[in-house]
Amino acid sequence: NQAYLSDKTKPCPRCKALTEKNQGCNHITCIKCKCGWCWICGQDIGNATIPEHFSDPNSPCQNKQ
């Protein structure tokens, strides 16, 4: 239902496909368009194994992978 989707999913920043995170790290890969993005801030961060986004001192998501 709509309440569940609003509470438990976030849209991919590139294709807007809804994604549910039920475990694991905050680096998400969209199953539809393969965009690598951050679950915390929703930014497209690429698909490196450990994106610089999580080590960048200017990122609000530093050390939160």
Side-chain angles (χ1 to χ4, degrees):
N1 69 26
Q2 203 59 19
Y4 180 86
L5 291 176
S6 295
D7 188 49
K8 304 288 185 186
T9 66
K10 293 184 181 183
C12 168
R14 190 179 298 164
C15 74
K16 308 303 181 213
L18 291 179
T19 303
E20 178 183 25
K21 179 178 178 287
N22 58 13
Q23 66 179 357
C25 69
N26 289 311
H27 181 205
I28 305 297
T29 301
C30 178
I31 61 169
K32 184 175 179 184
C33 73
K34 307 300 183 219
C35 172
W37 58 283
C38 176
W39 180 260
I40 299 167
C41 70
Q43 181 180 341
D44 183 337
I45 59 172
N47 287 314
T49 302
I50 301 176
E52 291 181 19
H53 176 75
F54 296 109
S55 61
D56 181 350
N58 296 315
S59 170
C61 306
Q62 181 187 22
N63 298 321
K64 295 179 182 175
Q65 183 171 359

